[in-house]
Amino acid sequence: TDDVSTAVQSLSRFYKLTLSRKQSISTIAQETEHATIYLEIQNMRYHNSISFVSDIPDELMEYQIPKLTLQPLIENAIFYGLELNVDECRIVLTGWIEDTSIVLLISDDGVGIPSEKLSAILSGNGNSTSGGTNIAVYNTHRRLQILYGPDYGLTYSSTPGSGTEVEIRIPAIRKSATEPSN
């Protein structure tokens, strides 16, 4: 019953963060909380085989980020780190300010992505090794570019057998004190 209670509480918080805010822009703190809850839920499914480290400096937490930016990328890392016959997966989320941009980096130690598939991920024409289309990753990338311009979005790098990194680049915009927070 404790496990069921924890699962229901986590799912409730996850959906509240996903669905209740009407704004399409969130904060890095809220997106990190959303990703952490998502990983708690996945760890229930995968018997705590996902290790997650969030190492984002406190000074970045009140910067803006489009809602649902981190979760689809972390979902992809879990899928390729665990569902493709890897016993454990380590995901690290870090970030920094670079000039007038915020860079967030999601790293995993999964199976990696072959170079011939890597270039297709952000094109909208890709197919994953599992038969998927990578549409969530593509949509996340395009949404960032539509909101902020072609200098922003996602960049993937990967070494088969060692893991994958996805860099998220967005403009450094602090949340306004007048905006509601949920």
Side-chain angles (χ1 to χ4, degrees):
T1 59
D2 287 342
D3 289 344
V4 171
S5 176
T6 300
V8 168
Q9 289 173 352
S10 293
L11 280 169
S12 172
R13 183 70 181 146
F14 177 82
Y15 284 117
K16 182 178 180 192
L17 287 169
T18 303
L19 302 173
S20 69
R21 290 178 296 190
K22 292 181 174 85
Q23 301 89 7
S24 61
I25 301 295
S26 188
T27 63
I28 291 175
Q30 291 166 326
E31 277 297 289
T32 301
E33 178 186 9
H34 189 247
T36 300
I37 293 168
Y38 175 76
L39 283 155
E40 288 172 5
I41 294 166
Q42 291 302 320
N43 260 326
M44 291 176 209
R45 177 181 179 192
Y46 291 111
H47 309 290
N48 293 315
S49 58
I50 305 163
S51 168
F52 178 61
V53 176
S54 178
D55 188 25
I56 297 177
D58 289 342
E59 61 266 17
L60 295 185
M61 291 303 202
E62 289 308 310
Y63 280 87
Q64 294 182 2
I65 186 170
K67 194 163 96 171
L68 292 173
T69 296
L70 299 178
Q71 185 273 329
L73 305 175
I74 289 173
E75 181 178 346
N76 211 41
I78 292 169
F79 182 79
Y80 288 101
L82 283 175
E83 288 199 12
L84 295 176
N85 300 321
V86 176
D87 294 331
E88 293 183 355
C89 179
R90 180 178 170 93
I91 299 171
V92 177
L93 172 62
T94 190
W96 60 91
I97 292 181
E98 194 173 282
D99 299 322
T100 59
S101 297
I102 293 203
V103 178
L104 300 174
L105 185 69
I106 300 172
S107 305
D108 71 65
D109 62 356
V111 297
I113 303 168
S115 59
E116 63 273 6
K117 301 261 184 199
L118 199 57
S119 60
I121 288 176
L122 301 177
S123 71
N125 299 319
N127 287 314
S128 69
T129 54
S130 65
T133 62
N134 298 309
I135 195 69
V137 170
Y138 172 72
N139 284 344
T140 300
H141 176 62
R142 288 298 299 145
R143 186 166 46 113
L144 294 174
Q145 289 191 321
I146 289 167
L147 283 170
Y148 304 122
D151 294 338
Y152 299 100
L154 307 179
T155 305
Y156 270 81
S157 61
S158 186
T159 304
S162 296
T164 301
E165 291 184 343
V166 58
E167 178 184 289
I168 305 159
R169 184 171 296 270
I170 56 176
I173 304 169
R174 280 194 180 274
K175 181 182 174 221
S176 168
T178 60
E179 292 177 44
S181 79
N182 295 334

